[in-house]
Amino acid sequence: MLARFLTTTVLAGVLTLQSCIPVHARGEDEGPTFFVVFENGGVVTDPEVQIETARSTLGELAELRRRRAMRDAVIHIITSANPTEITWSGTPDQLYEQGTVVMEALAIRPTCSDLTLAWGEVRNNLRINRPDDLRLIGIGPFIHAGYPCDEGDGLITLPQEVPDEVQLGAMAADASFVRLLNVHADQDEMVLEHLEAAGVLARVTSGELDFDLMDKARTRSNLGNILGRD
């Protein structure tokens, strides 16, 4: 599945990233809406692991085209190095067709990695679209290096509190599914505190939210089954 996902080039040469936005109307049979925030700035210390995680997770999302209840899902991808716009949008079928182009857009770059702007872009889109079934996926160490990142000494001390502006907790309070992958070992407690303060962990306990937070080791061991089985 993953090899086919990466090597597929059908339409990739003639479709731009911006042309991937779904044009079908959202009706009663609409599938879930996925937002994927991918950290690809200078905070990523193991690019190979990060890219492997993206390749596998997007491969799972592309495979949703085979499931009747999920084939009309909409997938939005936002990167932390280019956080003020959606990098790619489309259906699982479009993701399957354009996998090579999408992966090229996720290249790790030696630049800022702005989580407040990236998750803020998610929040802005939710204010407009208000999907019935929201699913959130974060891939990366969950370390904020906001713009402009060329000021000061450039040092980041861990653990780092989750900036209030991220508002992941507020969005997760309305989600049915949250996965946070490759989270840095020093950041997991900070992220959990952020989510707990927003009441998210209580939703997990009550069974309202399908949630997991994984470090690099657990992420790698779960690749191929990140989405679970609806």
Side-chain angles (χ1 to χ4, degrees):
M1 175 188 75
L2 299 181
R4 179 74 177 277
F5 173 71
L6 266 185
T7 57
T8 299
T9 57
V10 178
L11 298 180
V14 296
L15 288 177
T16 66
L17 293 179
Q18 294 302 317
S19 70
C20 304
I21 299 175
V23 297
H24 60 277
R26 307 283 282 165
E28 293 182 358
D29 296 329
E30 68 181 25
T33 295
F34 290 87
F35 281 91
V36 181
V37 172
F38 182 76
E39 294 178 55
N40 66 330
V43 299
V44 175
T45 58
D46 197 337
E48 291 185 3
V49 170
Q50 184 73 344
I51 292 298
E52 178 188 14
T53 303
R55 182 183 299 117
S56 180
T57 303
L58 297 186
E60 285 191 59
L61 288 167
E63 283 297 293
L64 296 180
R65 74 192 190 281
R66 301 182 183 277
R67 295 157 61 181
R68 177 174 297 181
M70 304 292 281
R71 64 181 58 162
D72 289 326
V74 176
I75 303 154
H76 304 294
I77 301 173
I78 298 166
T79 66
S80 64
N82 184 32
T84 58
E85 63 182 18
I86 292 179
T87 297
W88 187 91
S89 288
T91 63
D93 191 59
Q94 289 171 322
L95 182 57
Y96 175 74
E97 292 173 343
Q98 300 167 45
T100 300
V101 177
V102 176
M103 288 304 302
E104 289 174 354
L106 302 184
I108 308 300
R109 298 164 52 190
T111 186
C112 307
S113 191
D114 200 309
L115 293 183
T116 65
L117 291 178
W119 286 104
E121 183 66 17
V122 176
R123 185 177 65 252
N124 289 340
N125 279 272
L126 291 179
R127 292 172 64 188
I128 298 169
N129 297 311
R130 300 183 182 278
D132 291 332
D133 185 355
L134 171 62
R135 306 190 182 199
L136 303 172
I137 300 174
I139 304 176
F142 222 98
I143 299 173
H144 173 63
Y147 285 93
C149 56
D150 56 354
E151 295 183 352
D153 58 15
L155 295 177
I156 296 175
T157 301
L158 300 181
Q160 176 196 69
E161 291 188 6
V162 176
D164 292 338
E165 296 82 359
V166 168
Q167 293 188 28
L168 171 61
M171 291 181 284
D174 294 323
S176 66
F177 175 98
V178 175
R179 287 290 184 277
L180 301 176
L181 312 175
N182 283 344
V183 177
H184 193 284
D186 291 334
Q187 285 299 99
D188 53 1
E189 186 174 352
M190 294 292 98
V191 177
L192 289 173
E193 287 181 2
H194 169 79
L195 295 174
E196 186 171 31
V200 174
L201 300 188
R203 294 190 68 228
V204 177
T205 302
S206 67
E208 299 174 70
L209 175 64
D210 184 347
F211 169 81
D212 206 343
L213 182 154
M214 307 181 193
D215 61 12
K216 285 196 295 187
R218 284 197 62 229
T219 297
R220 175 165 286 182
S221 69
N222 280 280
L223 290 182
N225 192 35
I226 295 298
L227 300 185
R229 295 290 180 264
D230 276 349

